PDB file of all heavy atoms in Angstrom:
ATOM      1  N   PRO A1197    -205.682-112.879-205.478  1.00 73.00           N
ATOM      2  CA  PRO A1197    -205.724-112.220-206.795  1.00 73.00           C
ATOM      3  C   PRO A1197    -204.585-112.646-207.715  1.00 73.00           C
ATOM      4  O   PRO A1197    -204.769-112.774-208.935  1.00 73.00           O
ATOM      5  CB  PRO A1197    -205.631-110.723-206.450  1.00 73.00           C
ATOM      6  CG  PRO A1197    -205.079-110.653-205.075  1.00 73.00           C
ATOM      7  CD  PRO A1197    -205.530-111.899-204.385  1.00 73.00           C
ATOM      8  N   GLU A1198    -203.408-112.894-207.134  1.00 74.00           N
ATOM      9  CA  GLU A1198    -202.259-113.336-207.937  1.00 74.00           C
ATOM     10  C   GLU A1198    -202.528-114.712-208.541  1.00 74.00           C
ATOM     11  O   GLU A1198    -202.283-114.955-209.724  1.00 74.00           O
ATOM     12  CB  GLU A1198    -201.016-113.397-207.036  1.00 74.00           C
ATOM     13  CG  GLU A1198    -199.722-113.629-207.775  1.00 74.00           C
ATOM     14  CD  GLU A1198    -199.111-112.351-208.329  1.00 74.00           C
ATOM     15  OE1 GLU A1198    -199.555-111.252-207.947  1.00 74.00           O
ATOM     16  OE2 GLU A1198    -198.202-112.469-209.160  1.00 74.00           O
ATOM     17  N   LEU A1199    -203.057-115.615-207.716  1.00 78.00           N
ATOM     18  CA  LEU A1199    -203.343-116.962-208.170  1.00 78.00           C
ATOM     19  C   LEU A1199    -204.458-116.966-209.220  1.00 78.00           C
ATOM     20  O   LEU A1199    -204.378-117.676-210.234  1.00 78.00           O
ATOM     21  CB  LEU A1199    -203.746-117.837-206.974  1.00 78.00           C
ATOM     22  CG  LEU A1199    -204.050-119.309-207.239  1.00 78.00           C
ATOM     23  CD1 LEU A1199    -202.838-120.013-207.840  1.00 78.00           C
ATOM     24  CD2 LEU A1199    -204.477-120.003-205.958  1.00 78.00           C
ATOM     25  N   SER A1200    -205.489-116.161-208.984  1.00 74.00           N
ATOM     26  CA  SER A1200    -206.590-116.076-209.952  1.00 74.00           C
ATOM     27  C   SER A1200    -206.105-115.563-211.301  1.00 74.00           C
ATOM     28  O   SER A1200    -206.492-116.076-212.359  1.00 74.00           O
ATOM     29  CB  SER A1200    -207.684-115.141-209.413  1.00 74.00           C
ATOM     30  OG  SER A1200    -208.299-115.694-208.287  1.00 74.00           O
ATOM     31  N   GLU A1201    -205.256-114.547-211.272  1.00 74.00           N
ATOM     32  CA  GLU A1201    -204.741-113.968-212.518  1.00 74.00           C
ATOM     33  C   GLU A1201    -203.932-114.998-213.296  1.00 74.00           C
ATOM     34  O   GLU A1201    -204.098-115.154-214.504  1.00 74.00           O
ATOM     35  CB  GLU A1201    -203.882-112.743-212.197  1.00 74.00           C
ATOM     36  CG  GLU A1201    -203.485-111.931-213.414  1.00 74.00           C
ATOM     37  CD  GLU A1201    -202.800-110.620-213.041  1.00 74.00           C
ATOM     38  OE1 GLU A1201    -203.120-110.067-211.963  1.00 74.00           O
ATOM     39  OE2 GLU A1201    -201.950-110.175-213.823  1.00 74.00           O
ATOM     40  N   ASN A1202    -203.068-115.745-212.593  1.00 77.00           N
ATOM     41  CA  ASN A1202    -202.276-116.784-213.250  1.00 77.00           C
ATOM     42  C   ASN A1202    -203.153-117.920-213.765  1.00 77.00           C
ATOM     43  O   ASN A1202    -202.896-118.495-214.831  1.00 77.00           O
ATOM     44  CB  ASN A1202    -201.227-117.344-212.280  1.00 77.00           C
ATOM     45  CG  ASN A1202    -200.121-116.346-211.979  1.00 77.00           C
ATOM     46  OD1 ASN A1202    -199.804-115.504-212.807  1.00 77.00           O
ATOM     47  ND2 ASN A1202    -199.553-116.433-210.792  1.00 77.00           N
ATOM     48  N   TYR A1203    -204.205-118.243-212.998  1.00 77.00           N
ATOM     49  CA  TYR A1203    -205.114-119.319-213.399  1.00 77.00           C
ATOM     50  C   TYR A1203    -205.857-118.952-214.679  1.00 77.00           C
ATOM     51  O   TYR A1203    -205.972-119.769-215.600  1.00 77.00           O
ATOM     52  CB  TYR A1203    -206.092-119.589-212.253  1.00 77.00           C
ATOM     53  CG  TYR A1203    -207.096-120.676-212.545  1.00 77.00           C
ATOM     54  CD1 TYR A1203    -206.732-122.016-212.501  1.00 77.00           C
ATOM     55  CD2 TYR A1203    -208.411-120.361-212.863  1.00 77.00           C
ATOM     56  CE1 TYR A1203    -207.651-123.028-212.762  1.00 77.00           C
ATOM     57  CE2 TYR A1203    -209.337-121.350-213.126  1.00 77.00           C
ATOM     58  CZ  TYR A1203    -208.962-122.682-213.069  1.00 77.00           C
ATOM     59  OH  TYR A1203    -209.880-123.671-213.338  1.00 77.00           O
ATOM     60  N   TYR A1204    -206.363-117.715-214.758  1.00 73.00           N
ATOM     61  CA  TYR A1204    -207.110-117.301-215.948  1.00 73.00           C
ATOM     62  C   TYR A1204    -206.198-117.096-217.160  1.00 73.00           C
ATOM     63  O   TYR A1204    -206.652-117.142-218.297  1.00 73.00           O
ATOM     64  CB  TYR A1204    -207.880-116.014-215.656  1.00 73.00           C
ATOM     65  CG  TYR A1204    -209.092-116.249-214.781  1.00 73.00           C
ATOM     66  CD1 TYR A1204    -209.193-115.654-213.537  1.00 73.00           C
ATOM     67  CD2 TYR A1204    -210.134-117.076-215.202  1.00 73.00           C
ATOM     68  CE1 TYR A1204    -210.298-115.883-212.722  1.00 73.00           C
ATOM     69  CE2 TYR A1204    -211.237-117.303-214.399  1.00 73.00           C
ATOM     70  CZ  TYR A1204    -211.319-116.709-213.162  1.00 73.00           C
ATOM     71  OH  TYR A1204    -212.405-116.934-212.368  1.00 73.00           O
ATOM     72  N   LYS A1205    -204.904-116.891-216.912  1.00 75.00           N
ATOM     73  CA  LYS A1205    -203.945-116.780-218.014  1.00 75.00           C
ATOM     74  C   LYS A1205    -203.374-118.140-218.414  1.00 75.00           C
ATOM     75  O   LYS A1205    -202.510-118.215-219.283  1.00 75.00           O
ATOM     76  CB  LYS A1205    -202.792-115.852-217.610  1.00 75.00           C
ATOM     77  CG  LYS A1205    -203.185-114.383-217.527  1.00 75.00           C
ATOM     78  CD  LYS A1205    -201.980-113.532-217.136  1.00 75.00           C
ATOM     79  CE  LYS A1205    -202.330-112.048-217.106  1.00 75.00           C
ATOM     80  NZ  LYS A1205    -201.178-111.202-216.711  1.00 75.00           N
ATOM     81  N   ASN A1206    -203.846-119.221-217.736  1.00 77.00           N
ATOM     82  CA  ASN A1206    -203.402-120.591-218.016  1.00 77.00           C
ATOM     83  C   ASN A1206    -201.901-120.776-217.807  1.00 77.00           C
ATOM     84  O   ASN A1206    -201.247-121.548-218.526  1.00 77.00           O
ATOM     85  CB  ASN A1206    -203.790-121.011-219.443  1.00 77.00           C
ATOM     86  CG  ASN A1206    -205.289-121.101-219.626  1.00 77.00           C
ATOM     87  OD1 ASN A1206    -206.003-121.619-218.769  1.00 77.00           O
ATOM     88  ND2 ASN A1206    -205.768-120.569-220.741  1.00 77.00           N
ATOM     89  N   GLN A1207    -201.364-120.087-216.816  1.00 79.00           N
ATOM     90  CA  GLN A1207    -199.944-120.217-216.494  1.00 79.00           C
ATOM     91  C   GLN A1207    -199.786-121.308-215.435  1.00 79.00           C
ATOM     92  O   GLN A1207    -199.702-121.040-214.228  1.00 79.00           O
ATOM     93  CB  GLN A1207    -199.382-118.879-216.022  1.00 79.00           C
ATOM     94  CG  GLN A1207    -199.418-117.805-217.100  1.00 79.00           C
ATOM     95  CD  GLN A1207    -198.868-116.463-216.620  1.00 79.00           C
ATOM     96  OE1 GLN A1207    -198.656-116.260-215.423  1.00 79.00           O
ATOM     97  NE2 GLN A1207    -198.646-115.549-217.546  1.00 79.00           N
ATOM     98  N   GLU A1208    -199.746-122.563-215.882  1.00 80.00           N
ATOM     99  CA  GLU A1208    -199.786-123.701-214.976  1.00 80.00           C
ATOM    100  C   GLU A1208    -198.588-123.749-214.026  1.00 80.00           C
ATOM    101  O   GLU A1208    -198.734-124.089-212.843  1.00 80.00           O
ATOM    102  CB  GLU A1208    -199.866-124.999-215.783  1.00 80.00           C
ATOM    103  CG  GLU A1208    -201.163-125.134-216.579  1.00 80.00           C
ATOM    104  CD  GLU A1208    -201.232-126.447-217.326  1.00 80.00           C
ATOM    105  OE1 GLU A1208    -200.313-127.278-217.160  1.00 80.00           O
ATOM    106  OE2 GLU A1208    -202.209-126.648-218.083  1.00 80.00           O
ATOM    107  N   ALA A1209    -197.412-123.445-214.529  1.00 82.00           N
ATOM    108  CA  ALA A1209    -196.216-123.481-213.680  1.00 82.00           C
ATOM    109  C   ALA A1209    -196.318-122.453-212.557  1.00 82.00           C
ATOM    110  O   ALA A1209    -195.970-122.732-211.397  1.00 82.00           O
ATOM    111  CB  ALA A1209    -194.966-123.228-214.519  1.00 82.00           C
ATOM    112  N   ALA A1210    -196.806-121.250-212.889  1.00 81.00           N
ATOM    113  CA  ALA A1210    -196.960-120.199-211.876  1.00 81.00           C
ATOM    114  C   ALA A1210    -198.007-120.592-210.846  1.00 81.00           C
ATOM    115  O   ALA A1210    -197.832-120.349-209.646  1.00 81.00           O
ATOM    116  CB  ALA A1210    -197.336-118.881-212.548  1.00 81.00           C
TER     117      ALA A1210
END
Side-chain angles (χ1 to χ4, degrees):
E1198 189 84 13
L1199 182 60
S1200 293
E1201 190 172 330
N1202 290 331
Y1203 180 76
Y1204 286 118
K1205 289 181 177 179
N1206 294 317
Q1207 296 179 348
E1208 295 182 4

